[in-house]
Amino acid sequence: MRRTFSETLRHALYLAHRTAERARYLDALMDGQLAVTGFGELATQRYFIFKAFEESSALVRADPISGRFLFRELDRLAILGDDLAFYHGQDWRAKITPLPVTRTHCLRITELAQTWPAGYVAHYYVRYLGDLSGGQVFRSRMARHRGLTGAGIRFYEFADIPDVDAFRNRYHALLDAVAWDAAERGRVTQEAVQAFTLTNALFEALADRVLGPV
Ligand code: HEM
């Protein structure tokens, strides 16, 4: 049976997803070995990524096809600011810097918003839908192992999405019906793999910083 586009995307991301599941940083998070400050380092890097997404989103929203994939309910930037105040204090803006891999990822997101909105959607799908899905696992593990709830982990609260499964189904239906031809769908799929690869590179960089060398 032929795959729908959303199935093709998930299939193409399978290996990268397996790599993420085995990443040293996420392994430590899942096993309760990651300190709250170590988790804060992820929130910090994530801030720059979502800033790149949300500061360039107006360009993509203006695109009649790609714009339909951006949802205000998923916006994370303001919430991330609250989380960073928890980790770094009220002057958190003065205390944070992006890692080189984060800088590379941010540049790519901004470039895509300006030049190829469908490519931006590839990154948006990987990050926003990923955090909505698997991110819930991180939230429950940090609560269970480190008692982290509320401030510091608000990023994973999607207050405006009461039914996550229904939202994901709706998003998949949008992907399946998108007016991109086969070649464009192929390019978007490749870009989604790139987005995942950049995210996995961040986990590697964070493992070295937070957990030390292997
Ligand atoms: C320990 C690490 C991870 C776990 C346990 C995990 C878990 C999950 C789970 C349970 C799902 C839902 C599967 C389904 O119902 O079909 C999912 C989907 C997904 N995850 Fe992960 N995940 C992890 C890491 C990541 C990372 C790092 C990213 C982003 C780079 C990511 C991106 C995605 C995407 C894009 C989907 C599909 C969303 C959709 O189409 O609805 N995951 N993950």
Side-chain angles (χ1 to χ4, degrees):
M1 213 170 69
R2 275 189 60 196
R3 287 194 180 105
T4 62
F5 180 44
S6 63
E7 287 167 348
T8 301
L9 259 178
R10 286 204 300 285
H11 184 76
L13 294 174
Y14 177 77
L15 279 181
H17 200 274
R18 295 289 296 162
T19 304
E21 285 171 45
R22 296 194 195 104
R24 202 154 65 94
Y25 179 89
L26 291 182
D27 212 36
L29 190 164
M30 300 291 277
D31 283 354
Q33 304 300 317
L34 187 68
V36 169
T37 49
F39 190 71
E41 299 244 4
L42 175 60
T44 302
Q45 296 307 311
R46 192 178 259 156
Y47 171 78
F48 293 105
I49 305 274
F50 285 83
K51 187 165 179 284
F53 271 122
E54 292 178 28
E55 287 187 349
S56 59
S57 64
L59 291 168
V60 181
R61 283 182 208 282
D63 183 271
I65 299 177
S66 297
R68 302 182 63 210
F69 290 95
L70 277 54
F71 288 83
R72 297 275 178 211
E73 302 93 297
L74 289 171
D75 280 358
R76 297 288 88 192
L77 193 57
I79 288 168
L80 269 169
D82 293 347
D83 282 347
L84 291 195
F86 171 82
Y87 292 108
H88 303 288
Q90 287 309 318
D91 56 344
W92 57 269
R93 276 194 176 79
K95 293 185 178 160
I96 59 171
T97 41
L99 292 172
V101 62
T102 302
R103 254 193 220 116
T104 304
H105 200 167
C106 292
L107 283 173
R108 183 71 183 142
I109 291 165
T110 308
E111 180 192 23
L112 288 169
Q114 290 163 355
T115 59
W116 182 37
Y120 172 106
V121 170
H123 284 250
Y124 187 96
Y125 164 74
V126 169
R127 295 310 304 257
Y128 285 81
L129 269 279
D131 287 320
L132 186 64
S133 313
Q136 301 311 314
V137 185
F138 305 156
R139 182 185 179 186
S140 60
R141 293 293 169 113
M142 285 308 285
R144 186 196 308 168
H145 296 305
R146 299 284 166 181
L148 188 62
T149 56
I153 200 153
R154 291 240 149 79
F155 174 82
Y156 295 112
E157 288 172 14
F158 290 86
D160 297 329
I161 305 182
D163 185 341
V164 168
D165 283 344
F167 184 90
R168 286 178 61 210
N169 290 341
R170 193 152 62 99
Y171 207 93
H172 292 164
L174 263 182
L175 284 167
D176 294 341
V178 68
W180 292 326
D181 64 16
E184 184 73 339
R185 287 178 181 212
R187 283 190 290 269
V188 168
T189 304
Q190 285 313 306
E191 192 61 41
V193 173
Q194 286 303 311
F196 220 127
T197 304
L198 280 165
T199 306
N200 284 341
L202 171 61
F203 290 129
E204 271 179 41
L206 282 175
D208 291 343
R209 266 173 81 86
V210 173
L211 308 169
V214 189

